[in-house]
């Protein structure tokens, strides 16, 4: 990327200067308890570097999908608490986004201090379809940090054209954070000079969430392994009974096209050969191992079976590059976590360049207690990673590149 980065900003000097940081702190919660703090820990290095260099750090982020107004369920209070613990210093949470509380706390910041603004999506202008609304909010965010700079460090949101991601880059001098640069560097290895065999493992619930990336990957990969809920639409497209399993009937024609395209291009498309078929969707549901081509009409597949786990591990054994996005089953239920664990363990054992594509896959790695350093990279941005691999422009990245181009001219 031909853009200014965090190191450039630090070399310019930030002592006593305001810096607005867009982080991705969209963590999963159980009530007010963070169940996976991976994104908080990933955001920490940039904040630490700035605070350590004496900057007045103002962090903006979102949590969940509130409807453009304050909602206690989506407060960033648990995140401020966890960030304080990890930073070893108090991170004060503003009571609003750009209102009186935010203005008072940012005005009172001392060198090296950190303020976290309340959930930016509590302001409807953040996600507005109207660019004028977004620009207005971006200007107000900029006004909180007079004479300051903007660091884009939330890779999980760079695929969104939103005020705190896109428009704010034209309000303040803009820099790419270390996390964004690291993520893009990894993704370039999956698209440019790829070491082969290149294997992609896709799971998760819906085929419709991954249509674009599947279409693009079929032109690039050697093998495509399909698990999770989306596998049942593929099995149905082949004419098999899938019982009560998750099925997107409206995607069957699209999936038949993928199967034909894979065969045409010589891409090995691998589906489960057996599944754990349960009587209902619950943690303690009665279940049995059945052939993937003969799921009983009254049952639903909740995980890939033991033969599928062995098959998938074998297809990963000789890989030189692997991208994995999406669990193989309902990993949140212990009885149906075995498939996801098997794929993860195969990657840990692999000598390949292995990338876990964020979202549920990253959460599964941590929930299952697997060593994070067993993978080459665990992404913080599932959606952003997929859109990059799909070949789409990432607005948060293009905003930084546009600024750099303007400065060059």
């Amino acid at each position: 990327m031909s853009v200014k980065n965090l190191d450039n900003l630090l070399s310019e000097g930030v002592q006593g200067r305001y810096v607005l940081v867009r982080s991705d702190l969209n963590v999963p919660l159980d009530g007010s308890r963070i169940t996976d703090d991976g994104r908080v820990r990933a955001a920490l290095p940039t904040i630490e570097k700035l605070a350590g260099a004496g900057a007045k750090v103002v962090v903006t982020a979102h949590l969940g999908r509130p409807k453009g107004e304050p909602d206690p369920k989506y407060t960033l209070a648990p995140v401020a608490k966890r960030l304080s613990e990890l930073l070893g210093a108090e991170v004060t949470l503003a009571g609003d986004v750009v209102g009186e509380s935010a203005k008072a706390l940012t005005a009172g910041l001392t060198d090296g201090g950190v303020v976290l603004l309340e959930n930016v999506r509590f302001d409807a202008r953040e996600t507005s379809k109207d660019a004028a609304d977004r620009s207005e909010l971006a200007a107000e965010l900029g006004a909180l940090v007079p004479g300051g700079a903007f660091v884009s460090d939330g890779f999980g949101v760079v695929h969104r054209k939103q005020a705190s991601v896109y428009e704010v880059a034209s309000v303040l001098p803009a820099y790419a954070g270390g996390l964004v640069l690291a993520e893009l560097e990894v993704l370039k290895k999956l698209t440019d000079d790829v070491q082969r065999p290149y294997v992609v493992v896709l799971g998760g619930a819906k085929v419709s969430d991954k249509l674009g990336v599947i279409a693009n990957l079929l032109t690039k990969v050697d093998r495509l392994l399909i698990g999770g809920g989306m596998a049942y639409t593929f099995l149905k497209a082949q004419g098999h009974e899938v019982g009560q399993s998750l099925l997107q009937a409206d995607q069957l024609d699209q999936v038949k096209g993928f199967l034909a395209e894979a065969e045409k291009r010589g891409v090995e498309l691998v589906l489960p050969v057996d599944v754990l078929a349960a009587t209902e969707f619950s943690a303690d549901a009665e279940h049995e191992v059945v052939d993937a081509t003969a799921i009983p009409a009254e049952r639903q597949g909740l995980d890939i079976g033991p033969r599928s786990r062995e098959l998938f591990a074998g297809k990963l054994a000789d890989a030189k590059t692997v991208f994995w996005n999406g669990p193989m089953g309902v990993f949140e239920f212990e009885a149906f976590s075995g498939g996801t664990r098997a794929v993860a363990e195969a990657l840990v054992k692999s000598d390949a360049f292995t990338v876990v594509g964020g979202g549920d896959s990253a959460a599964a790695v941590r929930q299952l207690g697997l060593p994070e350093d067993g993978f080459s990279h665990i992404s913080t941005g599932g959606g952003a990673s997929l859109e990059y691999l799909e070949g789409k422009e990432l607005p948060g990245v293009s905003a930084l590149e546009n600024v750099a181009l303007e400065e060059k001219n």
Side-chain angles (χ1 to χ4, degrees):
M1 288 177 64
S2 57
V3 300
K4 287 186 175 180
N5 58 44
L6 180 62
D7 288 339
N8 297 137
L9 176 59
L10 291 170
S11 68
E12 293 168 13
V14 293
Q15 178 72 41
R17 186 182 181 189
Y18 282 107
V19 180
L20 178 69
V21 181
R22 185 24 162 128
S23 297
D24 180 11
L25 302 175
N26 187 28
V27 294
L29 294 173
D30 180 6
S32 62
R33 183 179 67 87
I34 297 174
T35 58
D36 178 11
D37 69 354
R39 283 178 170 166
V40 182
R41 288 187 284 113
L44 197 63
T46 289
I47 296 170
E48 280 183 322
K49 285 181 181 179
L50 289 166
K56 299 176 179 179
V57 185
V58 180
V59 181
T60 183
H62 78 281
L63 178 63
R65 295 184 177 179
K67 298 178 179 179
E69 59 185 26
D71 183 339
K73 185 168 68 172
Y74 297 113
T75 178
L76 283 171
V79 174
K81 181 175 181 291
R82 184 59 180 145
L83 197 52
S84 297
E85 293 168 351
L86 293 171
L87 194 60
E90 184 180 3
V91 175
T92 308
L93 177 68
D96 48 37
V97 180
V98 288
E100 293 308 312
S101 175
K103 290 174 182 175
L105 287 174
T106 55
L109 261 179
T110 56
D111 296 359
V114 182
V115 163
L116 174 62
L117 304 178
E118 185 53 285
N119 192 334
V120 69
R121 291 188 181 174
F122 283 0
D123 191 313
R125 295 173 295 177
E126 165 71 356
T127 57
S128 174
K129 300 296 184 185
D130 189 332
D133 287 341
R134 299 196 305 268
S135 294
E136 183 179 74
L137 176 57
E140 291 179 26
L141 285 168
L144 291 175
V145 292
F150 170 62
V151 174
S152 177
D153 203 44
F155 180 73
V157 289
V158 293
H159 60 312
R160 305 294 190 193
K161 186 175 273 191
Q162 296 176 349
S164 67
V165 178
Y166 185 76
E167 277 80 7
V168 75
S170 63
V171 173
L172 298 166
Y175 302 78
L179 179 59
V180 164
L181 289 179
E183 293 272 13
L184 289 172
E185 183 179 343
V186 165
L187 289 172
K188 285 182 185 296
K189 291 183 180 179
L190 298 178
T191 54
D192 295 345
D193 187 23
V194 179
Q195 298 297 304
R196 297 183 180 278
Y198 179 17
V199 184
V200 170
V201 187
L202 294 179
K206 297 180 179 180
V207 176
S208 57
D209 291 341
K210 298 184 171 75
L211 292 177
V213 75
I214 293 172
N216 201 38
L217 287 172
L218 284 174
T219 69
K220 302 180 186 303
V221 304
D222 299 298
R223 286 184 208 124
L224 182 59
L225 281 52
I226 304 288
M230 61 190 293
Y232 303 106
T233 301
F234 277 83
L235 290 166
K236 186 69 172 180
Q238 290 182 328
H240 303 304
E241 171 63 58
V242 297
Q244 301 301 307
S245 306
L246 187 63
L247 173 67
Q248 287 190 285
D250 61 333
Q251 301 297 329
L252 285 172
D253 287 343
Q254 181 78 60
V255 168
K256 288 175 183 177
F258 288 151
L259 292 168
E261 184 69 12
E263 184 175 5
K264 174 184 172 183
R265 290 182 173 276
V267 173
E268 188 178 4
L269 198 154
V270 184
L271 296 174
V273 292
D274 62 347
V275 304
L276 298 190
T279 53
E280 61 181 352
F281 186 88
S282 69
D284 56 357
E286 177 190 335
H287 57 277
E288 62 180 341
V289 177
V290 302
D291 286 347
T293 57
I295 300 172
E298 73 284 357
R299 291 194 177 231
Q300 56 185 294
L302 296 186
D303 194 15
I304 61 173
R307 287 191 293 123
S308 299
R309 297 168 197 176
E310 187 175 342
L311 172 67
F312 280 27
K315 297 296 183 182
L316 291 166
D318 67 341
K320 296 299 182 185
T321 305
V322 182
F323 175 75
W324 169 37
N325 181 281
M328 298 295 97
V330 189
F331 74 92
E332 297 90 346
F333 299 158
E334 177 63 29
F336 306 108
S337 64
T340 302
R341 179 182 290 279
V343 166
E345 289 179 342
L347 295 188
V348 169
K349 294 174 185 175
S350 172
D351 293 327
F353 178 69
T354 54
V355 179
V356 180
D360 286 340
S361 305
V365 166
R366 288 184 276 266
Q367 182 173 314
L368 296 173
L370 295 164
E372 293 186 42
D373 60 3
F375 306 88
S376 303
H377 182 72
I378 298 179
S379 178
T380 58
S385 297
L386 289 175
E387 291 202 11
Y388 185 96
L389 294 179
E390 191 177 334
K392 286 186 175 180
E393 180 183 87
L394 303 179
V397 175
S398 63
L400 297 173
E401 292 174 333
N402 291 342
V403 169
L405 185 62
E406 289 172 7
E407 288 182 355
K408 185 176 180 180
N409 295 334

